[in-house]
Amino acid sequence: MTSTAAATARLLADAGVDRVFGLPGGEVLVLIDELRRAGIDFVLMRHEANAGLAAAVYGKLRGQPGVVLTTLGPGAANLMLPLSNAYLDQEPLLAISAQIPDEYPAEHTHQLLPLHDVYRPITKFVAKITADTVHDVVPRALAACMERPFGASYLTLSARAALEPVALAASNASRGVRAQARDGHPRQRAAELRGLLADATRPLVVIGLGVDPRNAARVRRWVEEWNLPVAVTPKVKGIVDETAANFVGVVGGMAADDLMCEALASADVLIGLGLDPVEIDRTWHVDLPIDWILEAPHVDGRLPARVALFDHAQMLDTLLEQPPPAKWKAPFAHVQRQRRDRLAGPSRGAATDRGAGSPTMWPGDIVQALAGVLPPQTIVTTDVGSHKYLFGQFWPSRVPQTFWMSNGLSGMGYGLSAAIGASLARRATPVLAAVGDGGFSMNAQELETAERVGARFVTVVLEDGSYSLIKLSQEGKKLDRYGVDFSPIDTVKMAEACGVAGLRTTDPDELAAAARGAIEARRNLVIAVPVDYADYRRIF
Ligand SMILES: Cc1ncc(C[n+]2csc(CCOP(=O)(O)OP(=O)(O)O)c2C)c(N)n1
């Protein structure tokens, strides 16, 4: 007879899961052991939230759900951040935690939390794994994560149920993803869109996270062959080549958002290809007329009024059957020029020293120095803060799925964890994590994890001794400075304490050479770069 834990592990392995990220407790030891027997690696991390974030990126890059495993009570409670992130950022994540056995007396309250009730609103499938349900709920939980919009499932397995024998049953994990409903008439809709574009002088295609990266080649052909001005949201950076002449910028609250909003407002036709408002921190998606091309509902399950769903591949192929309906001559050229100027800034190429302060690097030089030496396929992850706005707008993404940030949730702690997941999923691909010193101090200990489990990446820590994005917001609200500055923790020593080499520089050439050297040598490296938070004012 197989135990319920063994059956769970076998179902995961049969579905192609080869790594489970997590942090153990006594109640999940049997399952971890069964995972090992089923050939699934347990990636031990230093915090459950980081494990969940890493797992989701790992899974999404492999085209399957990432899996995170925690103990009951506190371990399960630490899943709130990654489950929230998976929900709002459309990342496929199966979370499994232990739970107090149902058979325990009602008086037993130690470590007992209403976990299903807590996580149900932000997950797509919640269930208990038992001897009777295991062959049903594990495949269903995996499949739910991969239905668009991607998201999370949550399963609990008590230590007692883990040992219960199950009757052998054929795995039905291969039933996979359920087909999406496609209810529009693509030819009619394509003709409508063509007609709209034929009359437009300033059209703008805005691409969002509802576009499957497998359609990237089609999307690129469409916008390139028709020479359509195109913008993207941060979560799909790289779906088009951001160094191409028709690329207008990144919308949804990154740096230079005033310019992006100007472009959006001045467009006479706005096409929202897979655009999901979860990434937009303003209300232009409601105020401006958008012609949606969606193949799945938005994150919250809703659709704009009178919008039908279309298979993107079919729609793009239909559009491409015809030549461009008009010729547009760079109608957003002035926005594109101003956007470039923001990055160049006043002190390009030189470390700045503002009198009393110590030297800092112009934030734009960090992006330019790194982009100049790292290959286009480099995966970039960011944390949340001013540096995210900087990299989100200005990192020149050229390859699909090479830019990862938390945007729907915008949760700090993402960057380093995402880099671990990305590096394990794509072993041969260079990975760069750009994080603030605030975010870095939330989970720098995962550098030890990276070193131990073979994840390799360069971490650039933008040091400004503050939660700078919040400090800028405080200034904008004309409030006294309070509760936003912290004393420095030595980034280099933190890296070294975790077994990772570190250095500090304000020289863009040294930054570029160090990053390239570490990537080529496949070594982990932390590079601390002092910045002046006030410089962000000129870029934003
Ligand atoms: C978990 C979490 N806590 C708080 C916030 C609010 N928040 C957004 S940006 C930010 C500052 C981040 O500071 P740092 O990591 O140093 O980056 P910087 O803004 O300086 O680039 C804070 C506190 C958040 N988004 N996520």
Side-chain angles (χ1 to χ4, degrees):
M1 288 295 246
T2 307
S3 72
T4 304
T8 303
R10 176 50 42 210
L11 286 162
L12 293 175
D14 287 351
V17 174
D18 66 349
R19 282 196 169 91
V20 166
F21 297 72
L23 198 157
E27 294 78 4
V28 286
L29 289 175
V30 170
L31 179 55
I32 291 174
D33 195 56
E34 291 297 349
L35 292 172
R36 182 179 60 79
R37 289 165 191 269
I40 298 176
D41 210 17
F42 181 67
V43 181
L44 175 68
M45 294 195 59
R46 298 295 192 126
H47 194 291
E48 292 85 351
N50 300 334
L53 294 171
V57 174
Y58 180 78
K60 197 167 188 179
L61 276 169
R62 287 169 49 90
Q64 62 180 186
V67 184
V68 58
L69 176 63
T70 76
T71 190
L72 76 183
N78 274 346
L79 287 172
M80 180 52 94
L81 186 77
L83 286 173
S84 308
N85 194 76
Y87 168 49
L88 291 177
D89 281 82
Q90 294 197 21
E91 289 182 0
L93 177 66
L94 168 59
I96 306 176
S97 72
Q99 177 58 303
I100 301 290
D102 287 346
E103 305 81 16
Y104 272 31
E107 293 77 9
H108 180 94
T109 47
H110 178 67
Q111 293 195 316
L112 179 64
L113 293 169
L115 295 168
H116 286 204
D117 294 340
V118 169
Y119 291 136
R120 189 171 287 108
I122 55 169
T123 53
K124 304 171 80 177
F125 183 81
V126 172
K128 268 181 214 165
I129 304 174
T130 66
D132 291 339
T133 63
V134 59
H135 284 104
D136 177 42
V137 300
V138 174
R140 280 173 65 192
L142 288 165
C145 296
M146 297 305 292
E147 277 168 21
R148 286 194 167 264
F150 291 165
S153 292
Y154 177 59
L155 296 174
T156 51
L157 173 65
S158 77
R160 215 175 254 197
L163 297 169
E164 295 266 308
V166 289
L168 283 178
S171 164
N172 54 359
S174 58
R175 73 168 111 162
V177 182
R178 247 192 279 147
Q180 294 279 345
R182 316 274 187 216
D183 55 5
H185 301 286
R187 288 207 170 274
Q188 193 185 328
R189 181 69 179 132
E192 268 170 34
L193 289 166
R194 237 187 102 74
L196 272 173
L197 288 169
D199 295 335
T201 54
R202 296 168 64 79
L204 183 58
V205 177
V206 185
I207 306 175
L209 87 166
V211 169
D212 188 326
R214 285 174 300 188
N215 283 324
R218 285 186 172 89
V219 173
R220 283 174 176 229
R221 255 191 77 200
W222 181 47
V223 298
E224 279 165 26
E225 287 184 15
W226 286 23
N227 193 26
L228 273 163
V230 62
V232 298
T233 61
K235 296 288 292 189
V236 281
K237 273 174 71 65
I239 194 101
V240 296
D241 180 354
E242 296 182 12
T243 60
N246 63 339
F247 183 69
V248 176
V250 180
V251 302
M254 299 296 106
D257 201 40
D258 55 329
L259 295 175
M260 294 303 115
C261 287
E262 186 188 322
L264 289 159
S266 67
D268 54 2
V269 169
L270 264 182
I271 295 183
L273 179 64
L275 181 65
D276 190 321
V278 75
E279 280 205 81
I280 303 167
D281 63 349
R282 301 195 188 210
T283 55
W284 53 258
H285 58 93
V286 182
D287 304 333
L288 299 173
I290 296 178
D291 275 88
W292 303 87
I293 312 178
L294 303 177
E295 65 175 359
H298 291 151
V299 141
D300 58 359
R302 285 199 275 186
L303 274 176
R306 293 179 298 285
V307 166
L309 296 178
F310 293 97
D311 182 294
H312 280 162
Q314 200 183 0
M315 173 57 76
L316 290 162
D317 288 346
T318 310
L319 286 164
L320 278 163
E321 284 169 8
Q322 304 285 328
K327 276 201 165 116
W328 303 282
K329 291 201 184 105
F332 299 99
H334 67 293
V335 169
Q336 292 168 298
R337 195 175 45 250
Q338 288 182 65
R339 176 177 174 270
R340 275 194 299 274
D341 291 348
R342 293 270 177 104
L343 186 67
S347 58
R348 193 168 179 191
T352 54
D353 187 349
R354 292 175 183 76
S358 32
T360 58
M361 198 184 298
W362 168 251
D365 284 349
I366 302 175
V367 174
Q368 305 211 69
L370 293 167
V373 292
L374 298 182
Q377 71 273 19
T378 301
I379 293 178
V380 177
T381 71
T382 72
D383 213 73
V384 175
S386 300
H387 63 283
K388 168 178 128 169
Y389 287 15
L390 173 77
F391 275 78
Q393 183 61 266
F394 293 113
W395 181 261
S397 298
R398 284 149 283 177
V399 178
Q401 291 200 294
T402 55
F403 197 93
W404 293 77
M405 69 159 66
S406 172
N407 202 36
L409 179 68
S410 293
M412 288 170 71
Y414 183 86
L416 211 59
S417 310
I420 291 175
S423 176
L424 291 179
R426 297 273 160 88
R427 303 300 288 245
T429 304
V431 176
L432 168 75
V435 305
D437 45 359
F440 184 65
S441 63
M442 274 187 171
N443 61 5
Q445 72 278 14
E446 298 295 359
L447 288 170
E448 182 281 322
T449 305
E451 197 64 23
R452 173 168 38 82
V453 303
R456 296 289 175 260
F457 52 91
V458 170
T459 307
V460 173
V461 183
L462 286 82
E463 294 182 321
D464 51 22
S466 70
Y467 296 112
S468 82
L469 189 67
I470 309 307
K471 186 147 88 176
L472 291 167
S473 165
Q474 199 168 52
E475 287 176 2
K477 293 176 165 61
K478 308 223 177 310
L479 295 167
D480 290 342
R481 184 182 298 182
Y482 182 70
V484 289
D485 293 317
F486 43 76
S487 304
I489 302 178
D490 191 323
T491 302
V492 174
K493 284 191 184 151
M494 274 174 100
E496 288 168 353
C498 294
V500 171
L503 64 98
R504 176 173 290 100
T505 183
T506 51
D507 174 0
D509 293 337
E510 190 183 1
L511 167 66
R516 185 171 56 191
I519 294 280
E520 283 172 359
R522 283 198 50 73
R523 275 193 299 110
N524 282 317
L525 177 67
V526 173
I527 310 175
V529 182
V531 292
D532 182 347
Y533 88 98
D535 283 343
Y536 288 124
R537 278 195 219 116
R538 304 190 209 184
I539 300 179
F540 297 170

